[in-house]
Amino acid sequence: MTEPPPMNSFGDVVRWVVEELGAFCPSAERLAAYWRKPFDPQYRDIRYHVEEAQCPICLADRPEKPKEP
Amino acid sequence: MASSAEAEFQTAWADCQRALREYLVRAFPRLASEADDLLQEVFMEAIQRFRAEGMPAVVDWRGWCRTAVRHRAIDRLRRWELRAFRQLSGQKTSSQSDSFDSSRPSESSSSEPVDSSPGPATQAAEKQRRTRQGLLLSEVLVDFCRFCEAKPTRLKMKEAYERVLHGQRPEQIAAAMELPPAEVHQLLYRARQWILERIRQADVDRSVFVTLFAGKGEKPR
């Protein structure tokens, strides 16, 4: 396993937990609903999580061709 | 001999094993070198559990397998989380904890030598506390997300707090979410209060709470 980045503070650990352990990932049901309707306002938090924060765990779940609004 | 349901699982696993591996490497690139080992572990555990507890009623085996792989991957990464807290416990005393998120005033990380005065018992207790805190932090954040998702009105709080944890300042969040700054401050305040309350509930001897706020001028309530 590739070693995680240096964690010299609690802040470092929290950031790692959020970025690589999926601590802020939406539920599987909401993520699936988001892929079906990515521009639905009720999934705005997921849009941030996936498109801006670039969560690799959720992005790995992205279907081949997301539907347009 | 495998039951028909178990055979069904084995067939599904064989069908999606390549896709599972690709998913695992994309979602958890740090685990790429041990992907095959992890998949084998998930498969063997599933078989053993089915034989011990009976087959679950699963409609979507592909989704079931992916969820199992995801959980196993996160478990492996959590070992590093534990290790990080153990290392921190050797580097700092409880009065030197840093900010929980970047929008709060934070004490700078200390690079001073470790104070060697605490005895072995104190150090052991400190390590245990840090270990528990590491577990608790990741679990509390997941719980927080589920709490927010339970009501649509709470989703803004989730997004605002995630933005904070990614380093955005409240004014940036207000602009990005098109909210009045006062509302963002209120959302962040509520998020922190929820998280602190959850820590307070779960942290029976209050050691995590004390550790988080030691030296910040905030007192446990």
Side-chain angles (χ1 to χ4, degrees):
Chain A
M1 174 173 141
T2 312
E3 283 208 18
M7 289 188 258
N8 299 314
S9 69
F10 283 98
D12 288 344
V13 182
V14 171
R15 275 186 288 279
W16 187 64
V17 163
V18 169
E19 290 169 7
E20 296 196 35
L21 272 74
F24 260 83
C25 289
S27 66
E29 294 77 14
R30 288 191 75 233
L31 183 61
Y34 168 74
W35 296 131
R36 288 192 295 273
K37 292 184 176 180
F39 297 96
D40 190 320
Q42 67 178 312
Y43 305 126
R44 183 191 161 127
D45 61 304
I46 304 178
R47 197 157 60 249
Y48 168 74
H49 178 78
V50 172
E51 311 298 345
E52 289 189 51
Q54 291 277 300
C55 172
I57 302 171
C58 291
L59 285 170
D61 250 329
R62 190 197 288 271
E64 292 287 318
K65 292 180 182 175
K67 290 183 180 175
E68 294 300 320
Chain B
M1 187 174 170
S3 67
S4 61
E6 186 179 311
E8 185 184 332
F9 164 72
Q10 291 184 5
T11 302
W13 181 272
D15 287 346
C16 67
Q17 191 168 3
R18 182 187 294 254
L20 284 173
R21 193 182 192 289
E22 289 172 1
Y23 163 76
L24 177 59
V25 171
R26 279 202 312 271
F28 305 97
R30 288 191 194 281
L31 297 174
S33 64
E34 54 196 270
D36 295 325
D37 172 58
L38 190 148
L39 290 173
Q40 180 69 9
E41 197 174 291
V42 172
F43 176 78
M44 293 306 297
E45 281 194 8
I47 291 292
Q48 285 168 10
R49 199 167 78 214
F50 298 158
R51 288 177 182 170
E53 302 171 10
M55 293 296 293
V58 175
V59 176
D60 175 17
W61 276 113
R62 184 176 289 261
W64 188 96
C65 292
R66 181 172 285 209
T67 300
V69 167
R70 175 191 162 127
H71 287 168
R72 174 61 51 167
I74 289 174
D75 283 347
R76 285 208 180 184
L77 291 171
R78 276 186 171 152
R79 293 177 197 167
W80 280 93
E81 189 184 349
L82 288 177
R83 187 177 301 187
F85 277 104
R86 287 187 178 124
Q87 287 176 344
L88 285 170
S89 73
Q91 292 169 359
K92 292 179 174 182
T93 64
S94 62
S95 63
Q96 291 173 311
S97 64
D98 70 348
S99 178
F100 192 62
D101 64 57
S102 60
S103 72
R104 297 181 68 87
S106 156
E107 295 172 357
S108 61
S109 275
S110 172
S111 58
E112 293 174 2
V114 177
D115 180 0
S116 59
S117 57
T122 305
Q123 289 181 17
E126 177 74 2
K127 278 188 178 182
Q128 188 180 26
R129 181 169 66 189
R130 297 288 191 187
T131 297
R132 208 151 31 77
Q133 182 174 356
L135 284 172
L136 196 59
L137 283 174
S138 54
E139 290 169 352
V140 163
L141 291 177
V142 170
D143 288 349
F144 174 71
C145 290
R146 298 295 88 79
F147 167 77
C148 293
E149 290 182 314
K151 274 196 175 179
T153 53
R154 297 173 185 154
L155 293 173
K156 282 192 291 190
M157 180 166 66
K158 172 180 177 283
E159 181 179 339
Y161 198 63
E162 183 176 3
R163 285 176 180 274
V164 155
L165 294 182
H166 280 286
Q168 291 188 10
R169 296 190 303 277
E171 57 269 30
Q172 293 174 306
I173 298 170
M177 294 180 69
E178 299 176 323
L179 295 173
E183 185 176 348
V184 171
H185 283 286
Q186 184 66 18
L187 291 171
L188 296 177
Y189 174 80
R190 283 171 46 211
R192 291 183 184 116
Q193 288 301 111
W194 190 96
I195 289 167
L196 293 179
E197 184 59 30
R198 179 52 58 95
I199 290 173
R200 191 156 38 213
Q201 288 168 0
D203 185 24
V204 177
D205 64 3
R206 297 166 64 85
S207 60
V208 172
F209 192 83
V210 170
T211 302
L212 277 171
F213 288 94
K216 288 190 175 20
E218 296 186 48
K219 292 183 176 158
R221 286 169 285 174

